[in-house]
Structures are given as structure tokens and as C-alpha cells.
Amino acid sequence: SKATVSVLNCYHPFPPPHSPQTMAMRRVAASALRMNAARAFAQPRFLSMEEVPAKAAEMKDWEPVEIMRAALKNHEGDICISFSGAEDVLLIELAHQTGLPYRVFSLDTGRLHSETYKFFQMVEDHYKIKIEYTFPNAEQTMKLTQEKGMFSFYKDGHAECCGIRKVGPLKNKLSTLDAWITGVRQDQSVTRTDLPVVQKDPVFIGQSGERLVKYNPLSATTRREVWDQIRLTGVPFNELHLKGFVSIGCEPCTKPTLPEQHEREGRWWWENAAEKECGLHQKKTDH
């Protein structure tokens, strides 16, 4: 280090190896090295909250794979890709392309299509990974279904069910991380039109006790561009996409869409567009 070099330069370049001058030099040099190491250890190895706004501006025009690489490097081991079992499989392909270690988690709500469960296995086999699955709280799920039945969301909205089956498990998972990576895009919904490529998570708290860093590498990517990449790279995809499904969630709350319909028309179709968020990706309050 510079500090060590400056210390060494204070002495004769070739003192006797066991002279008092040499021993003193070694002690001072070792002290300088310890101080440098302590400073390096004290510095956060991940992207800090203060850096997020500047990073969002800097990374705005980066390619998705570059954003993925930066995310994995900034939070090594303490970041996870959120995989829904739909076209966000491209995130896993991007992580694979970086050559860096990566983790993937999925929310098993207990209400997914059988095709989605099969797709999970396909992805694990293709990339030779193990997806980290999360599950709803059994007592809360039982209480909801016993009191309101299996399809209460058709009557009083999806928020309560999603809160138990998706938001709760996600909150628990994210509390063990410093950052997460999502496949959310600006063109998916009217609630996502100004989504940055990296942001302070508006809601969820990480293992440090502070809000997580949230990366959205596909933010400015269109659905057509996503599918161009999936086809080009030979990435496996959910067979529901061949049956008219575009946005895929739980089986009771997802249906195929017509060619000219927006992809979110197939989700919670009995509610208006402004309410079509399940609580996983609430609109940001700041970057």
C-alpha cells in the first residue's frame, strides 16, 4: 500500500536484516498494513444506499447483462434473482452468461399451474442450479381459506391472498439478503412506467436492517426484445406461453390474453389496471 511504501522509504533501502532499524521498520510497516486492512474491512463491500441514485443514472443505458454483472459483483453472496416461472427466466440466462456465482429464489404460493412447477424443474436441470423456494405461512393460509373460502379474491380483491401467499414469504426471504434482482419492466404496467434499473426498495428491509437495493436489469427492455433473446439463446420457457398466457401468476388469477390485449389484461382481470400489483413490486417513492 502507499502507506507501507512511504514508511519503508523513510529508512535506508538495505539495512542489516536483524538490526534495530530493520525491526523498527517491520513493526511500523506491519502497523500500517493492519490499519489499511481495518479500513478496507470497515468499508461496505456492497452498493450503499447513498450510491444508488448516482448508480441509477450511470447504469441507465447499460446492457442488461452488464447490469446483472455489476449487481452480482456489488453484493457477492447476499443477492438473489427473483424468478416467477415466466419470461423472467432471461435473468437466469444473463447471470449464467456472466460466469459469476448466482442464487435464484421462487415463491411457491401453492396455487401455481402444473406447467409452472414443471418449468421450475426444467430450469434447474438446464442451468444445473437449485432454486430456493419459499412457502406461505400454513396457519395464515388455513385461516384465510376456512373463513373466506378458496376464491375470496374474486369478491374482495387479491390483496389479502397475495399478502399471505406472496408478500409475507417474500419479506421473509429478503430479510436474509442485501439486494435482489427482478424481471420487472417498464412496459408491463401503468404502475411501472418510470422504473429505474437500480433503486432503493420502497418497502422491503434486508439483513442489515435497512432497505434493500433492488436491481431491474430488464427495466427498459420490451417484451419483444425479451423474447428475441429467449429464442436466440435457446433458453427454456414455460409452455403456458404457447397457450396464450403472457403474464403468468397463480392459476386462479391468470388467463390467456388475445393478440391485441396488454399482457397484464390476463392478471386479476376483474380489477382496474392501477390495482394490478400483488405487493411484490410496489411503486417506488424515490431512487
Side-chain angles (χ1 to χ4, degrees), residues 3-286:
T4 304
V5 171
S6 65
V7 169
L8 294 175
N9 287 341
C10 294
Y11 298 89
H12 190 280
F14 301 104
H18 300 294
S19 68
Q21 183 182 15
T22 299
M23 301 306 293
M25 177 183 69
R26 288 175 178 171
R27 286 195 295 271
V28 174
S31 176
L33 287 173
R34 285 194 297 270
M35 291 176 63
N36 287 341
R39 283 196 295 269
F41 183 81
Q43 293 174 349
R45 61 181 177 83
F46 51 86
L47 185 66
S48 69
M49 286 295 114
E50 292 73 20
E51 296 175 289
V52 170
K55 275 295 181 183
E58 176 188 342
M59 299 167 68
K60 181 179 179 182
D61 298 319
W62 288 16
E63 291 296 322
V65 69
E66 296 172 339
I67 299 170
M68 177 65 72
R69 181 178 289 107
L72 296 176
K73 284 186 175 181
N74 288 338
H75 311 271
E76 182 180 355
D78 292 315
I79 187 170
C80 219
I81 296 169
S82 175
F83 175 45
S84 70
E87 60 194 11
D88 53 355
V89 65
L90 183 58
L91 292 174
I92 302 177
E93 172 62 21
L94 295 176
H96 183 73
Q97 290 178 12
T98 69
L100 298 171
Y102 62 92
R103 298 166 58 192
V104 179
F105 77 91
S106 291
L107 306 177
D108 182 355
T109 65
R111 303 294 295 269
L112 303 178
H113 298 78
S114 61
E115 291 90 342
T116 299
Y117 290 114
K118 293 175 184 177
F119 181 45
F120 285 152
Q121 188 61 55
M122 288 173 58
V123 170
E124 288 190 339
D125 293 342
H126 183 82
Y127 292 102
K128 296 179 173 55
I129 61 174
K130 287 295 183 183
I131 297 174
E132 302 171 22
Y133 297 101
T134 69
F135 304 92
N137 178 278
E139 292 184 3
Q140 293 177 346
T141 305
M142 185 182 301
K143 184 175 185 295
L144 174 65
T145 54
Q146 288 183 339
E147 291 181 357
K148 295 190 174 183
M150 296 293 289
F151 303 99
S152 60
F153 36 81
Y154 290 141
K155 298 178 180 178
D156 54 15
H158 69 276
E160 184 176 19
C161 185
C162 284
I164 293 173
R165 294 183 181 273
K166 300 174 75 172
V167 180
L170 177 66
K171 181 179 179 181
N172 292 337
K173 182 63 179 180
L174 296 183
S175 69
T176 68
L177 303 171
D178 289 325
W180 62 314
I181 304 170
T182 83
V184 183
R185 306 192 319 271
Q186 294 174 0
D187 70 347
Q188 287 177 322
S189 170
V190 296
T191 63
R192 301 175 179 180
T193 54
D194 57 354
L195 183 76
V197 297
V198 60
Q199 64 185 134
K200 300 177 186 177
D201 194 287
V203 177
F204 296 108
I205 304 299
Q207 61 182 353
S208 67
E210 298 182 356
R211 289 156 59 190
L212 291 95
V213 178
K214 180 179 180 181
Y215 291 87
N216 310 301
L218 304 178
S219 171
T221 308
T222 66
R223 180 163 65 93
R224 180 181 294 276
E225 290 170 337
V226 168
W227 276 99
D228 284 345
Q229 286 299 309
I230 289 176
R231 295 186 182 98
L232 180 66
T233 55
V235 174
F237 58 86
N238 194 322
E239 64 182 76
L240 287 172
H241 290 302
L242 299 176
K243 302 177 181 179
F245 291 81
V246 180
S247 179
I248 300 173
C250 291
E251 189 277 332
C253 300
T254 307
K255 70 176 183 177
T257 54
L258 297 174
E260 299 301 319
Q261 285 185 302
H262 190 276
E263 62 185 271
R264 299 292 282 186
E265 289 294 317
R267 302 290 296 278
W268 307 295
W269 55 91
W270 61 93
E271 299 180 3
N272 66 60
E275 296 175 344
K276 292 189 178 185
E277 288 289 354
C278 58
L280 305 187
H281 306 290
Q282 294 189 31
K283 191 172 178 63
K284 63 182 177 63
T285 55
D286 58 15

